[in-house]
Amino acid sequence: MLEEFHEGEIVGKYVITTPILGEGGTGVVSLAKDSEGKFCAIKFLSVKDNSKYIEHFKTEYRRLIGLSHPNVAKALDFGFYKDFLYLVTEYIEGEDLIHSTYYLTPEAIIPLFLQVLEGLCYIHKNGFAHLDMKPENILVQKDNQKVKIIDLGVAETIGSFKNMGQGTVPFIPPEIVMKLDAEVDARADLFSLAATIYTCLTRGKLPFGLRNNAIKNGAVDYELLNNIVANEPHPRPISDYRRNVPEHLDGIIQGLLMKRPCDRQYKTARA
């Protein structure tokens, strides 16, 4: 994946300036400039071994381009290049949620979390699940403290989920790992967001750290990951690591980290 693109490479109407801005299990994000010289982010989704999903994701991307919300990076364009589908979004310059909140008190962090929920609620209201909520995909802009959810490259319409291994191992919902496709909906994003908030409030403690044992030489052993997820214990309370976390917030996070979607405390971001 790292050698697929290079600086100066032309992809449709865009010129890549930074080949690797970020990387995940299903693709890579590059920084590019459009024909007017404006920066944008391009998420490349590998479909080399999943060609049957090309039309599916083209349909998803067409719908994503219509979305517009202050807390969601705007989707601008999409196309096909080499063995990749790509989605172009506005480039957001900011700091990821963990680094931007590291020295803040829990009370100061809560307004940022609420902005994330506003953006996520909008995504869900329009019929999508993001499917890769993690600290790196939530940016806080330094100049105005506005939060933006980024990387909609694997977002899908709720009810038409195609399991391509979406998500990032420490934050991936159990229903995706265990291929419970019928249950992949807004609750999957809330699980991943809860794992993200847990990691932020504990300053880097992963609620499901044992999952990283399933990563071998940079690749995910999904059979091993499935076994780990099926048997992993419920995470310790956040208050075990940080005493000044409000009890009600700790309880909400614990309720959203339940293994079975039907057992999670809330079903929607608006709740």
Side-chain angles (χ1 to χ4, degrees), residues 8-16 32-35 38 40 42 76-78 86 88:
E9 189 164 354
I10 297 174
V11 179
K13 300 179 290 184
Y14 310 94
V15 179
I16 293 177
K33 284 186 177 181
D34 64 15
S35 57
K38 294 176 61 176
C40 56
I42 305 180
L76 304 171
D77 193 9
F78 73 94
Y86 65 84
V88 182

Side-chain angles (χ1 to χ4, degrees), residues 84-152:
F84 298 87
L85 278 172
Y86 65 84
L87 178 69
V88 182
T89 65
E90 64 175 321
Y91 171 61
I92 306 299
E93 194 166 359
E95 200 170 31
D96 73 62
L97 197 61
I98 286 184
H99 289 93
S100 61
T101 60
Y102 193 86
Y103 295 105
L104 299 180
T105 65
E107 289 75 14
I109 297 173
I110 288 174
L112 301 179
F113 292 160
L114 292 177
Q115 288 190 60
V116 181
L117 286 170
E118 288 291 341
L120 201 54
C121 183
Y122 176 80
I123 291 170
H124 295 161
K125 184 178 178 181
N126 281 273
F128 286 98
H130 184 282
L131 300 179
D132 197 15
M133 294 297 292
K134 59 182 178 180
E136 294 85 352
N137 282 344
I138 302 169
L139 299 184
V140 181
Q141 296 174 289
K142 291 183 179 180
D143 56 345
N144 57 13
Q145 289 294 287
K146 179 170 282 188
V147 173
K148 290 272 193 176
I149 297 172
I150 66 169
D151 195 354
L152 296 164

Side-chain angles (χ1 to χ4, degrees), residues 102-261:
Y102 193 86
Y103 295 105
L104 299 180
T105 65
E107 289 75 14
I109 297 173
I110 288 174
L112 301 179
F113 292 160
L114 292 177
Q115 288 190 60
V116 181
L117 286 170
E118 288 291 341
L120 201 54
C121 183
Y122 176 80
I123 291 170
H124 295 161
K125 184 178 178 181
N126 281 273
F128 286 98
H130 184 282
L131 300 179
D132 197 15
M133 294 297 292
K134 59 182 178 180
E136 294 85 352
N137 282 344
I138 302 169
L139 299 184
V140 181
Q141 296 174 289
K142 291 183 179 180
D143 56 345
N144 57 13
Q145 289 294 287
K146 179 170 282 188
V147 173
K148 290 272 193 176
I149 297 172
I150 66 169
D151 195 354
L152 296 164
V154 294
E156 293 196 54
T157 302
I158 293 172
S160 65
F161 177 65
K162 302 289 189 248
N163 198 324
M164 290 180 61
Q166 288 100 323
T168 301
V169 169
F171 306 97
I172 191 170
E175 55 266 39
I176 290 181
V177 177
M178 302 172 78
K179 301 187 182 301
L180 305 176
D181 296 2
E183 296 192 63
V184 177
D185 53 27
R187 295 170 297 181
D189 284 342
L190 292 177
F191 177 96
S192 298
L193 177 59
T196 293
I197 294 174
Y198 185 106
T199 305
C200 290
L201 290 175
T202 59
R203 295 191 173 109
K205 298 286 186 183
L206 294 170
F208 304 105
L210 289 176
R211 295 181 177 191
N212 283 330
N213 293 330
I215 302 175
K216 308 290 185 182
N217 299 318
V220 180
D221 181 334
Y222 283 99
E223 183 176 353
L224 178 56
L225 180 61
N226 195 338
N227 290 334
I228 292 172
V229 170
N231 296 287
E232 64 191 354
H234 197 73
R236 293 165 57 185
I238 298 171
S239 55
D240 284 4
Y241 302 104
R242 195 170 180 182
R243 294 182 181 178
N244 61 343
V245 173
E247 185 177 346
H248 70 278
L249 178 58
D250 201 352
I252 289 172
I253 300 305
Q254 290 290 320
L256 289 173
L257 291 175
M258 299 298 289
K259 189 170 297 183
R260 297 193 307 169

Side-chain angles (χ1 to χ4, degrees), residues 45-111:
L45 180 67
S46 176
V47 291
K48 185 175 183 179
D49 299 317
N50 296 286
S51 58
K52 62 182 178 180
Y53 296 142
I54 291 177
E55 290 305 317
H56 170 77
F57 275 98
K58 281 183 178 179
T59 300
E60 301 293 76
Y61 288 174
R62 287 189 189 98
R63 291 190 58 221
L64 283 170
I65 288 173
L67 301 187
S68 180
H69 188 275
N71 300 118
V72 181
K74 187 173 178 59
L76 304 171
D77 193 9
F78 73 94
F80 185 77
Y81 180 71
K82 294 184 177 178
D83 290 317
F84 298 87
L85 278 172
Y86 65 84
L87 178 69
V88 182
T89 65
E90 64 175 321
Y91 171 61
I92 306 299
E93 194 166 359
E95 200 170 31
D96 73 62
L97 197 61
I98 286 184
H99 289 93
S100 61
T101 60
Y102 193 86
Y103 295 105
L104 299 180
T105 65
E107 289 75 14
I109 297 173
I110 288 174

